[in-house]
Amino acid sequence: MAKGNSSTEHTNQSEVGFSTRAVHAGQEPDKVTGAVIPPISLSTTFKQPAAGEHLMRCSNLPITVYANVESTTSYHQGFDYSRSGNPTRQVFEKAVAALEKGKYGLAFSSGSATTASIVQSLGADSHVISVNDVYGGTYRYFTKVASQFGISTDFVDMYDPNNIERYFKPNTKLVWIETPTNPTLRLVDIRAIAKRVHNHGAMLVVDNTFLSPYFQNPLELGADVVIHSVTKYINGHSDVVMGIAVTNNEDFYNKLKFMQNSFGAVPSPFDCYLARCVPFLRVFHCLQGILYDVVINNNSRLLHRRGLMTLEVRMKAHASNAMTIARFLEKHRYINEVIYPGLPSHPQHELAQRQQKGFGGMLSFRMKGTLANVNAFLSQLQYITLAESLGGVESLIEVPAVMTHGSISTEDRALLGITDTLVRFSVGIENVEDLMKDLDQALEHAYVSELKH
């Protein structure tokens, strides 16, 4: 059995609650110092007990073998070079795998690197089926990069799972879905799609970025691989770029780990540390040419218990705020439509209730008027920032047609409903009353000139 990043090396994590897993999974007190929080490992290379002994890690020996070696070699835990494996990265990978109820996790330097590594592992002359309403960066990779390596992609409307059947080919190896989709928040029935995918001998990958492991666990619904842009909700503070893949398939894990090591698209230990948790941090601050060692300790609000350890708390706040704002916007005179799976008006609300454990912090809405009205609205926002990305504690807003999904052709955007007046809103954890006031005053401003006429 593959070792190293498996989340099942300790007690059965699925038997405990989400936050308990978020705090404890993959995280053991340091065996040398007893430190409750494992220290960050910045080393690029690791001392070996004997020539070639690090190769033991690739064998089928249980991890207890490494824990029980003689004291003269007890420092060796199967690491040789940080591109191939790093203690801090491994802690993070185990933790996310536990939250997704998977066995194996592999972290990458970005969500896009995760996508590229998975797709490139298929080999030339492979065929992929992707949901048509997919993240712009993923669409760009499939159409502009993967196609250059002999990997073809069909983009399919999966609102009805039966639509996928006629697109399977003898060389179809992978089906790629997002649910909810970005940015129109359409849902895909994971269980129904998984059944059809497996009937054709292919593999199902689900991008779970929009909901995080707290609100949805695709592996339990039949997916083979679940991926995240860690940059978004998992890290949650808009200061780390990273991706991760989680699977229960040992063969695919070993294949993807080989790709991870070969491409070298791995995250830094510091980013893994930030995304896992930061109970304290030493910062070296340069002032007038003098280097000061500043300690930001457990009492600091700046970096206190963040990342995965606070995912449940943050996701509850995101979802609560999003629901309140969705209901507010649905009644606003300048809004044509609000798209949020938590609203009964969403055409797939029943599927959201059945498939998800909550509705998340992402919503989209269609404004009346034109792009000029949208820009006037955006220019007046005070607490909501016009920026790409999502999932941070701060509220972010953007116009997909001219920002995140600009790489999609005008014709395809029209078919998907990504119009110039569609606005995507990543609802933060600010006081919801302040966010509603901010939205209201900006919307009123956006149409003031029209009212004068």
Side-chain angles (χ1 to χ4, degrees), residues 105-415:
L106 288 170
F108 296 83
S109 55
S110 68
S112 295
T114 311
T115 300
S117 298
I118 290 173
V119 177
Q120 292 301 123
S121 74
L122 303 177
D125 299 320
S126 296
H127 175 245
V128 174
I129 300 172
S130 171
V131 66
N132 60 342
D133 189 8
V134 72
Y135 164 57
T138 303
Y139 177 88
R140 180 175 60 242
Y141 177 78
F142 282 138
T143 58
K144 304 296 184 182
V145 181
S147 59
Q148 301 301 308
F149 293 91
I151 300 172
S152 61
T153 306
D154 281 317
F155 296 92
V156 179
D157 181 350
M158 299 187 195
Y159 186 91
D160 179 354
N162 290 317
N163 288 345
I164 198 174
E165 287 290 348
R166 64 189 180 95
Y167 290 93
F168 282 102
K169 301 177 181 180
N171 63 334
T172 300
K173 293 184 180 179
L174 184 147
V175 173
W176 188 283
I177 66 174
E178 297 174 9
T179 180
T181 59
N182 180 7
T184 58
L185 288 104
R186 294 174 180 147
L187 305 185
V188 178
D189 189 328
I190 298 173
R191 197 179 298 278
I193 292 294
K195 180 179 179 180
R196 289 161 174 80
V197 171
H198 295 152
N199 284 343
H200 288 272
M203 183 172 63
L204 177 62
V205 177
V206 178
D207 185 337
N208 199 29
T209 298
F210 262 35
L211 287 178
S212 87
Y214 183 67
F215 283 131
Q216 184 169 262
N217 295 124
L219 296 180
E220 290 194 317
L221 299 169
D224 298 290
V225 183
V226 57
I227 71 162
H228 291 270
S229 172
V230 174
T231 311
K232 314 307 193 293
Y233 284 112
I234 287 180
N235 178 62
H237 291 78
S238 300
D239 54 10
V240 166
V241 174
M242 201 195 309
I244 194 164
V246 176
T247 184
N248 285 318
N249 185 316
E250 183 178 340
D251 290 338
F252 183 73
Y253 163 75
N254 288 325
K255 187 176 185 179
L256 190 60
K257 184 167 180 59
F258 178 82
M259 301 296 288
Q260 179 198 50
N261 186 44
S262 300
F263 285 161
V266 295
S268 73
F270 189 73
D271 281 350
C272 292
Y273 192 67
L274 284 174
R276 180 65 183 94
C277 68
V278 180
F280 67 90
L281 180 66
R282 295 185 75 172
V283 178
F284 292 94
H285 177 62
C286 187
L287 180 62
Q288 295 181 342
I290 302 174
L291 196 64
Y292 292 92
D293 185 2
V294 182
V295 177
I296 301 174
N297 59 34
N298 286 334
N299 296 320
S300 170
R301 293 183 181 181
L302 182 61
L303 291 171
H304 183 66
R305 296 292 185 187
R306 46 163 283 165
L308 279 180
M309 285 191 172
T310 62
L311 183 58
E312 178 172 354
V313 176
R314 288 186 285 108
M315 293 310 296
K316 286 179 177 179
H318 284 298
S320 176
N321 280 0
M323 179 65 82
T324 300
I325 289 171
R327 289 169 175 163
F328 164 74
L329 289 175
E330 202 169 35
K331 299 176 181 177
H332 203 284
R333 60 175 174 164
Y334 293 128
I335 301 299
N336 275 331
E337 181 188 12
V338 177
I339 309 169
Y340 183 63
L343 293 175
S345 58
H346 192 287
Q348 295 172 294
H349 178 63
E350 184 276 331
L351 175 59
Q353 290 179 305
R354 171 163 44 90
Q355 180 167 275
Q356 303 167 191
K357 301 179 181 73
F359 305 112
M362 296 298 302
L363 62 87
S364 294
F365 56 91
R366 300 185 190 278
M367 291 177 54
K368 294 181 178 179
T370 66
L371 183 59
N373 296 108
V374 174
N375 279 322
F377 159 71
L378 297 172
S379 70
Q380 292 300 304
L381 291 169
Q382 299 176 15
Y383 302 116
I384 303 168
T385 303
L386 174 62
E388 296 190 4
S389 198
L390 58 101
V393 292
E394 73 288 340
S395 290
L396 299 176
I397 202 163
E398 63 112 5
V399 185
V402 294
M403 295 175 70
T404 54
H405 291 67
S407 61
I408 298 176
S409 68
T410 302
E411 295 77 14
D412 286 342
R413 287 201 306 269
L415 289 173

Side-chain angles (χ1 to χ4, degrees), residues 31 49 53 56 61-78:
K31 294 179 180 179
E53 191 165 327
M56 288 173 57
L61 293 174
I63 198 163
T64 51
V65 169
Y66 305 115
N68 295 330
V69 292
E70 296 298 324
S71 59
T72 55
T73 58
S74 62
Y75 56 81
H76 181 52
Q77 297 295 321

